[in-house]
C-alpha cells in the first residue's frame, strides 16, 4: 500500500506513551546544568581527532573559521531539535520525530542514516583512541606489533618520529569497541558525579592545551592563513574552509543530548535556548582557540591523516609529563563518548525493531540485564569491521554527511509540523519559523555539498542498502497498521 510510506505515528499516542507514571521525568535541570550537559556532550573526539586532518587537507590554519561556520549550522539545527524534544520526548531521537511528522518512509531513511552518526561515529572515535593509546605506550617504550595497530590503508606517525605503514588491522580500536559493547550488555547506570567529572576533565584538557601551548606558538606556521586553492574544490581556499567545516562538524554532534533533555528542564522556554546556544558559544570559543594554538605549534601540513593531533602539537611544548596526563584524560573522555554512541545506536535500532521495521532480533531484551543485548552484539561486530580496517578521515566524512542529513530532516520536520499541527503544545518553540529551519537546511546542505564526492557515493550506497532492507523486510512487517493517523 503506497499510503503506508507516508503513514505517521499519531503524536497523541507517542505523548501517552511518554507521560505514563513510569516515564515521568523530574524537571530538575536549570540553565547552568543544561549548558554543562551540552559542553560535556559536545567536547569529544571531533576536536581531538579530526581538527588536524581538516587543517592538513582542507582549511589550513583557517580551520578556526571552519569551526565558526559549523557552529552556525549547529545553532539552527539545535533549536529545531529542541522543539521536537519538548513535544515528543521518546527514545529514538530524529527517527521518532520523523515518524510522527513525515511518515514511515522518511523515518526509515533517517533511522538508517543515524547508523552513520552513531555506529560509524563510535568507529571514528575508536581509531583515534587507538592512536592516543599508541602515543601513551610509546612514552614507556612499549611498542605493539606494527601490523596490528592500524588499517592497511593508512600511515601512522607518532610524535617521536616513529612511522607505521605496514598495518593489517587496528586491534586496539577493535578491543575498545568490544569491551564497551560487552559493558553495555550488562547495563550501565548513569552517574551524575562521573558525568560532571568528565565534563571538568575534558574542559581542563582544552584549557591546559590552550594555556601552555600559547607561549610556544610559531607565527610562521600561520603563513599562509588561508592556503591557496589547489584547483580541487575541497583543497584549501574559501571552498576548502567550507569542506573543513563539514569535516569538523563531527565535533558538534552532541547537540541532540541537550535537546532531548527538554522534558527535564525546569523552564524549557528559557532553559533550552540558553542550554543549546550557551554550550554552543562556549564550545565554539574553546574550539577556535584550541585550533589556533594547535596550528600555531605545528605546521598544518604535518597533521595529514593524524588522528591524535593534540598529542603531536603538545609535544612541541616540551611538557612531557603533562603530555602523558593529557593523553590519559583524552583516552578517558573518548571512552565515555564511545559508550554513549554505542548506546544511542542500540536504542535507535531497538525503536525501529519495536515498530516492526527491523527483525525482532534487534529488540530482544536480555532476561537478566534488561538490555537489547543482541543489538549490542551485532554492532560490536559491525563497528569493529570499520574500526579495524577503515582510515579515520574516511570514517569522519561518513559520520559528518550522515549527521548533516539527519539535521536537515529535523529542520524540515519542525517547519512542516508548525504548518500542519499548529495547535500542539510545545514547551519550547523554535524562534523565527520558518527562517530558522530554512537556514538550518541551507547551511547543512551547503556543508554536505562541500564534502568530498566520495562521501556522497558512500551515502548513496548506504541508503540504497537501506532501501533494499526496507522494501524487502520493513514495509512488509511494519506495525503501522495499528495506528490511526
Amino acid at each position: 500500500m503506497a499510503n503506508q510510506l507516508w503513514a505517521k505515528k499519531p503524536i497523541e499516542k507517542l505523548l501517552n506513551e511518554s507521560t505514563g507514571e513510569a516515564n515521568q521525568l523530574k524537571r530538575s535541570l536549570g540553565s547552568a546544568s543544561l549548558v554543562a550537559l551540552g559542553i560535556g556532550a559536545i567536547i569529544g573526539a571531533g576536536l581531538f581527532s579530526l581538527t588536524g586532518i581538516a587543517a592538513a587537507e582542507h582549511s589550513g590554519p583557517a580551520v578556526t573559521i571552519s569551526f565558526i561556520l559549523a557552529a552556525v549550522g549547529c545553532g539552527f539545527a539545535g533549536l529545531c531539535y529542541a522543539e521536537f524534544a519538548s513535544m515528543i520526548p521518546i527514545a529514538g531521537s530524529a527517527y521518532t520525530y520523523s515518524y510522527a511528522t513525515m511518515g514511515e518512509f522518511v523515518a526509515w531513511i533517517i533511522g538508517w542514516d543515524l547508523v552513520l552518526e552513531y555506529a560509524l561515529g563510535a568507529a571514528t572515535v575508536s581509531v583515534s583512541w587507538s592512536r592516543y593509546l599508541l602515543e601513551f605506550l610509546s612514552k614507556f617504550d612499549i611498542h605493539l606489533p606494527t601490523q596490528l595497530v592500524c588499517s592497511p590503508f593508512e600511515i601512522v606517525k607518532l610524535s617521536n618520529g616513529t612511522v607505521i605503514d605496514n598495518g593489517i588491522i587496528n586491534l586496539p580500536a577493535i578491543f575498545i569497541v568490544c569491551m564497551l559493547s560487552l559493558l553495555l550488555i550488562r547495563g550501565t547506570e548513569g552517574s551524575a558525579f562521573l558525568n560532571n567529572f568528565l565534563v571538568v576533565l575534558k574542559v581542563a584538557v582544552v584549557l591546559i592545551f590552550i594555556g601552555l601551548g600559547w607561549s610556544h606558538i610559531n607565527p610562521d606556521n600561520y603563513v599562509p592563513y588561508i592556503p591557496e586553492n589547489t584547483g580541487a574544490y575541497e583543497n584549501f581556499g574559501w571552498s576548502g574552509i567550507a569542506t573543513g567545516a563539514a569535516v569538523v562538524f563531527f565535533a558538534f554532534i552532541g547537540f541532540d543530548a541537550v535537546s532531548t533533555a527538554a522534558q527535564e528542564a525546569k523552564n524549557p522556554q528559557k532553559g533550552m535556548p540558553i542550554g543549546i546556544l550557551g554550550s554552543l558559544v562556549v564550545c565554539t570559543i574553546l574550539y577556535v582557540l584550541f585550533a589556533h594554538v594547535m596550528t600555531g605549534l605545528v605546521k598544518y601540513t604535518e597533521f595529514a591523516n593524524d588522528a591524535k593531533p593534540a598529542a603531536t602539537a603538545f609535544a612541541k611544548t616540551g611538557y612531557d609529563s603533562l603530555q602523558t596526563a593529557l593523553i590519559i584524560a583524552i583516552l578517558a573522555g573518548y571512552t565515555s563518548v564511545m559508550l554513549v554512541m554505542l548506546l544511542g545506536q542500540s536504542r535507535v535500532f531497538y525503536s525501529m525493531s519495536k515498530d516492526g521495521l527491523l527483525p525482532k532480533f534487534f529488540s530482544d531484551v536480555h532476561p537478566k540485564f534488561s538490555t537489547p543485548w543482541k543489538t549490542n552484539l551485532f554492532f560490536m561486530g559491525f563497528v569493529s569491521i570499520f574500526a579495524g580496517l577503515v582510515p579515520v578521515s574516511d570514517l569522519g566524512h561518513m559520520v559528518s554527511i550522515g549527521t548533516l542529513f539527519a539535521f536537515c530532516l529535523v529542520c524540515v520536520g519542525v517547519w512542516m509540523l508548525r504548518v500542519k499541527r499548529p495547535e500542539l503544545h510545545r514547551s519550547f518553540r523554535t524562534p523565527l519559523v520558518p527562517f530558522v529551519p530554512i537556514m538550518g537546511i541551507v547551511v547543512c546542505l551547503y556543508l554536505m555539498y562541500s564534502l568530498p564526492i566520495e562521501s556522497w557515493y558512500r551515502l548513496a550506497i548506504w541508503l540504497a542498502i537501506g532501501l533494499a532492507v526496507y522494501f524487502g523486510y520493513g514495509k512488509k512487517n511494519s506495525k503501522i497498521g495499528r495506528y490511526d493517523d
Side-chain angles (χ1 to χ4, degrees):
M1 186 171 63
N3 288 339
Q4 181 187 329
L5 296 179
W6 314 111
K8 305 176 184 68
K9 265 190 170 183
I11 292 178
E12 289 76 11
K13 182 174 179 64
L14 289 171
L15 293 177
N16 289 336
E17 292 174 359
S18 70
T19 55
E21 185 174 334
N23 292 317
Q24 288 286 346
L25 297 176
K26 183 179 179 181
R27 291 193 179 278
S28 59
L29 297 178
S31 298
S33 297
L34 289 168
V35 172
L37 174 66
I39 293 172
I42 297 167
I43 293 181
L47 178 65
F48 298 126
S49 63
L50 296 178
T51 306
I53 293 172
E57 299 179 1
H58 307 296
S59 310
V63 67
T64 51
I65 303 176
S66 295
F67 272 118
I68 295 173
L69 179 57
V72 170
C74 272
F76 290 127
L79 288 171
C80 293
Y81 255 103
E83 178 167 321
F84 261 143
S86 69
M87 292 172 55
I88 314 171
I90 302 290
S93 184
Y95 162 74
T96 301
Y97 305 157
S98 299
Y99 214 153
T101 58
M102 290 178 279
E104 181 176 281
F105 183 64
V106 176
W108 168 268
I109 291 176
I110 202 168
W112 190 255
D113 173 70
L114 284 174
V115 178
L116 295 179
E117 177 177 348
Y118 290 115
L120 296 193
T124 307
V125 180
S126 72
V127 174
S128 188
W129 184 92
S130 172
R131 300 287 177 81
Y132 278 102
L133 178 66
L134 295 181
E135 192 75 31
F136 174 74
L137 293 177
S138 71
K139 299 293 181 185
F140 302 94
D141 202 30
I142 299 174
H143 303 283
L144 302 178
T146 56
Q147 296 91 341
L148 304 180
V149 295
C150 75
S151 157
F153 308 107
E154 58 186 340
I155 298 174
V156 175
K157 183 178 180 181
L158 302 182
S159 58
N160 63 7
T162 302
V163 176
I164 302 173
D165 62 356
N166 60 338
I168 297 176
I169 193 169
N170 192 336
L171 280 187
I174 293 175
F175 170 79
I176 189 63
V177 168
C178 292
M179 290 299 100
L180 293 178
S181 296
L182 294 175
L183 177 63
L184 284 172
I185 290 174
R186 292 186 60 84
T188 56
E189 293 293 334
S191 166
F193 173 79
L194 179 61
N195 288 336
N196 292 335
F197 173 75
L198 288 174
V199 171
V200 173
L201 184 65
K202 287 190 281 191
V203 173
V205 166
V206 175
L207 292 176
I208 290 172
F209 181 90
I210 294 170
L212 296 181
W214 197 276
S215 60
H216 292 80
I217 288 175
N218 179 1
D220 292 340
N221 290 331
Y222 295 129
V223 182
Y225 192 72
I226 302 178
E228 185 177 353
N229 185 267
T230 62
Y233 178 90
E234 68 269 17
N235 296 133
F236 309 114
W238 287 104
S239 59
I241 290 174
T243 301
V247 172
V248 299
F249 198 86
F250 182 93
F252 290 100
I253 64 175
F255 262 100
D256 48 1
V258 186
S259 65
T260 53
Q263 202 180 10
E264 297 167 84
K266 291 180 179 178
N267 184 349
Q269 290 280 5
K270 176 184 176 182
M272 291 310 297
I274 291 176
I276 290 173
L277 298 180
S279 57
L280 174 63
V281 170
V282 171
C283 289
T284 301
I285 292 172
L286 291 177
Y287 281 8
V288 169
L289 293 174
F290 184 94
H292 178 75
V293 171
M294 194 182 76
T295 52
L297 291 172
V298 176
K299 191 69 175 178
Y300 68 91
T301 52
E302 296 184 32
F303 291 122
N305 201 38
D306 188 351
K308 38 86 191 156
T312 300
F314 200 73
K316 299 291 184 180
T317 65
Y319 296 106
D320 290 338
S321 58
L322 280 178
Q323 187 189 27
T324 302
L326 180 96
I327 294 173
I328 292 174
I330 291 175
L331 287 171
Y334 272 14
T335 301
S336 67
V337 170
M338 280 184 281
L339 196 67
V340 171
M341 287 183 170
L342 290 169
L343 176 67
Q345 178 57 70
S346 67
R347 295 311 182 260
V348 171
F349 262 43
Y350 173 83
S351 296
M352 295 174 75
S353 176
K354 294 291 285 185
D355 291 330
L357 299 180
L358 287 172
K360 186 178 179 297
F361 170 93
F362 291 104
S363 56
D364 282 348
V365 175
H366 195 282
K368 179 179 180 181
F369 303 124
S370 298
T371 57
W373 65 288
K374 292 181 180 178
T375 299
N376 291 130
L377 286 177
F378 175 83
F379 278 103
M380 181 176 75
F382 179 83
V383 174
S384 292
I385 292 172
F386 284 88
L389 299 174
V390 181
V392 67
S393 58
D394 291 337
L395 284 170
H397 292 164
M398 293 172 71
V399 173
S400 290
I401 198 168
T403 305
L404 286 162
F405 184 48
F407 278 20
C408 283
L409 292 179
V410 168
C411 291
V412 171
V414 163
W415 187 8
M416 286 179 58
L417 213 55
R418 282 289 189 95
V419 174
K420 294 185 175 182
R421 299 294 303 275
E423 81 285 358
L424 288 173
H425 174 70
R426 295 163 170 84
S427 297
F428 170 77
R429 296 176 66 88
T430 302
L432 301 176
V433 174
F435 174 77
V436 168
I438 290 174
M439 289 304 299
I441 295 166
V442 169
V443 174
C444 288
L445 285 177
Y446 175 59
L447 294 181
M448 289 175 70
Y449 168 77
S450 300
L451 282 166
I453 190 64
E454 292 82 7
S455 300
W456 284 89
Y457 293 152
R458 293 171 189 137
L459 177 64
I461 292 171
W462 179 248
L463 291 180
I465 296 172
L467 291 177
V469 175
Y470 174 70
F471 287 106
Y473 180 89
K475 188 171 182 291
K476 299 175 183 177
N477 294 276
S478 170
K479 297 178 181 178
I480 195 67
R482 298 182 183 180
Y483 308 119
D484 297 316
D485 189 19

